[in-house]
């Protein structure tokens, strides 16, 4: 096994810390020192499934690029018919079993239109049956976590299926790594809602996009709290566009933790505090107030 000194960029370190996977962090160090991932089973005492999950996590974090390249370019999506569905149910036992499993997960009988969508998951997107089952379970739980009482439709799940297929989430290992990241992100989403003092309602779709973007940027809770406090001080309340401007500026400057922001503020304004309003911020406030 190769060893040696290495340098980890702060942004990569932040991703690893927020990922919450010890196996992924260990695999990152292993690969960073020039080792082949296939040797991790023996060198790191990782089982094949743990090794593959760690690699999948690094891939999804953008920290490992050596992934399979199918080179597949999907053509126009077929329009499946009732005959296609009936033929699949009659000739493909695994599809029939998948139908039963999805009905159990969703708690309802799947219609012919539903099964046409599922057929697209399998034939058009190329997702294996076990991955489709995990996908549907994930979408159901995600809806529940957001306070939605009804189970999602297959048409709504289809959007997530395309995302999985486009991002190479087509094995159980890839799905496990992705869901683990999303669960961690959902936990941080809950803490961010507390920081933003949103407790009596669900965020709107536009607000959800801001939240997802901020979490993907890799900010810690202290930095998010500082951005919220600065927004309230400078604008009199939570102005999403204004807080987004602050976080975008910090992200571009590579400031993602509270300590980094404080250090950056001291460099930018040696005698001022984090609540001081500069000319650029004043102009942003004027624009936001005019829009609101």
């Amino acid at each position: 096994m190769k060893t040696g000194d290495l340098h980890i960029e702060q942004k990569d370190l932040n991703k690893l810390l927020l990922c919450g996977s010890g196996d992924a962090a260990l695999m990152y160090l292993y690969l960073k020192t020039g080792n082949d991932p296939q040797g991790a089973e023996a060198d790191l005492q990782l089982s094949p499934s743990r090794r593959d999950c760690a690699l999948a996590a690094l891939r999804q974090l953008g920290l490992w690029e050596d992934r399979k390249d199918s080179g597949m370019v999907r053509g126009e999506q077929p329009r499946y018919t009732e005959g296609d569905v009936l033929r699949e149910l009659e000739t493909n036992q695994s599809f029939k079993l998948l139908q039963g499993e999805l009905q159990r997960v969703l708690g309802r009988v799947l219609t012919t239109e539903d099964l046409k969508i599922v057929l697209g998951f399998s034939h058009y997107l190329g997702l294996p049956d076990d991955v489709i089952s995990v996908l549907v379970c994930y979408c159901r739980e995600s809806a529940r976590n957001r306070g939605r009482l009804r189970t999602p439709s297959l048409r709504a799940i289809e959007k997530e299926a395309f995302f999985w297929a486009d991002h190479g989430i087509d094995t159980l290992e890839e799905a496990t790594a992705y869901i683990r990241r999303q669960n961690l992100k959902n936990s941080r989403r809950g803490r961010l809602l507390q920081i933003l003092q949103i407790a009596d309602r669900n965020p709107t779709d536009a607000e959800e996009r801001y939240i997802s973007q901020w979490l993907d940027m890799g900010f810690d809770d202290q930095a998010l709290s500082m951005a919220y406090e600065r927004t309230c001080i400078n604008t009199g309340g939570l102005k999403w566009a204004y807080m987004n401007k602050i976080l975008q500026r910090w992200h571009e400057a590579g400031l993602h933790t509270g300590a980094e922001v404080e250090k950056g503020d001291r460099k930018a304004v040696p005698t001022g505090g984090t609540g001081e309003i500069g000319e650029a911020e004043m102009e942003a406030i004027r624009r936001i107030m005019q829009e609101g």
Side-chain angles (χ1 to χ4, degrees):
M1 178 171 61
K2 300 177 182 177
T3 60
D5 296 334
L6 57 86
H7 170 73
I8 303 178
E9 294 186 14
Q10 187 64 49
K11 61 182 179 64
D12 291 348
L13 180 59
N14 290 341
K15 288 180 180 180
L16 288 171
L17 293 175
L18 292 173
C19 175
S21 170
D23 284 350
L26 183 61
M27 180 63 76
Y28 176 83
L29 297 176
Y30 183 73
L31 297 174
K32 196 73 170 169
T33 48
N35 293 283
D36 188 281
Q38 298 304 317
E41 184 176 353
D43 292 338
L44 303 180
Q45 298 298 300
L46 293 179
S47 66
S49 62
R50 286 178 62 191
R51 177 199 63 202
D52 292 345
C53 282
L55 290 172
L58 293 179
R59 230 174 350 244
Q60 292 165 20
L61 289 168
L63 298 178
W64 188 56
E65 298 180 356
D66 183 18
R67 63 157 297 137
K68 61 185 179 183
D69 182 9
S70 62
M72 182 186 72
V73 177
R74 287 195 295 270
E76 184 178 355
Q77 185 173 6
R79 298 174 65 89
Y80 297 104
T81 66
E82 182 178 355
D84 295 328
V85 171
L86 292 174
R87 190 179 311 107
E88 196 73 11
L89 290 172
E90 291 172 357
T91 62
N92 188 341
Q93 181 64 20
S94 64
F95 187 78
K96 190 171 183 62
L97 292 173
L98 178 62
Q99 175 196 27
E101 173 64 13
L102 298 187
Q103 289 181 156
R104 183 191 66 79
V105 171
L106 295 174
R108 59 183 173 82
V109 176
L110 298 186
T111 66
T112 300
E113 291 303 313
D114 288 335
L115 291 174
K116 290 179 185 178
I117 296 173
V118 176
L119 197 58
F121 294 170
S122 176
H123 285 204
Y124 180 64
L125 296 180
L127 298 177
D129 290 350
D130 53 1
V131 173
I132 294 173
S133 180
V134 171
L135 164 71
V136 173
C137 286
Y138 166 74
C139 290
R140 181 198 63 184
E141 292 305 311
S142 294
R144 287 180 178 177
N145 291 337
R146 279 168 167 70
R148 296 167 187 165
L149 300 179
R150 298 182 60 184
T151 56
S153 67
L154 263 297
R155 187 61 68 188
I157 293 173
E158 184 180 40
K159 296 178 182 179
E160 186 72 13
F162 269 88
F163 178 87
W164 283 33
D166 290 341
H167 290 79
I169 307 172
D170 53 9
T171 67
L172 285 179
E173 290 78 17
E174 293 281 353
T176 298
Y178 174 74
I179 291 172
R180 179 171 183 168
R181 283 189 62 218
Q182 292 304 108
N183 287 341
L184 183 61
K185 184 176 178 179
N186 287 337
S187 175
R188 298 202 64 237
R189 172 184 175 274
R191 295 201 299 274
L192 177 52
L193 290 179
Q194 291 179 340
I195 291 172
L196 301 178
Q197 300 186 35
I198 298 176
D200 56 349
R201 66 177 180 84
N202 289 321
T204 66
D205 289 343
E207 291 169 349
E208 284 284 8
R209 286 192 289 272
Y210 276 124
I211 289 170
S212 180
Q213 179 181 335
W214 298 343
L215 294 179
D216 285 340
M217 286 179 179
F219 292 105
D220 70 2
D221 290 351
Q222 185 184 7
L224 292 168
S225 181
M226 293 169 68
Y228 172 70
E229 181 179 2
R230 179 176 293 191
T231 299
C232 290
I233 290 173
N234 292 353
T235 69
L238 174 55
K239 299 292 184 182
W240 292 86
Y242 183 78
M243 183 168 169
N244 188 55
K245 289 288 186 183
I246 292 175
L247 291 172
Q248 282 184 335
R249 188 166 67 247
W250 289 352
H251 181 62
E252 292 168 359
L255 310 176
H256 295 94
T257 68
E260 290 170 349
V261 171
E262 289 177 347
K263 184 178 180 181
D265 278 344
R266 285 195 296 269
K267 288 181 178 179
V269 187
T271 60
T274 59
E276 290 193 8
I277 307 176
E279 182 57 35
E281 287 187 273
M282 282 299 301
E283 179 59 30
I285 293 171
R286 284 192 286 269
R287 286 199 304 271
I288 292 170
M289 294 307 182
Q290 289 172 357
E291 293 170 0

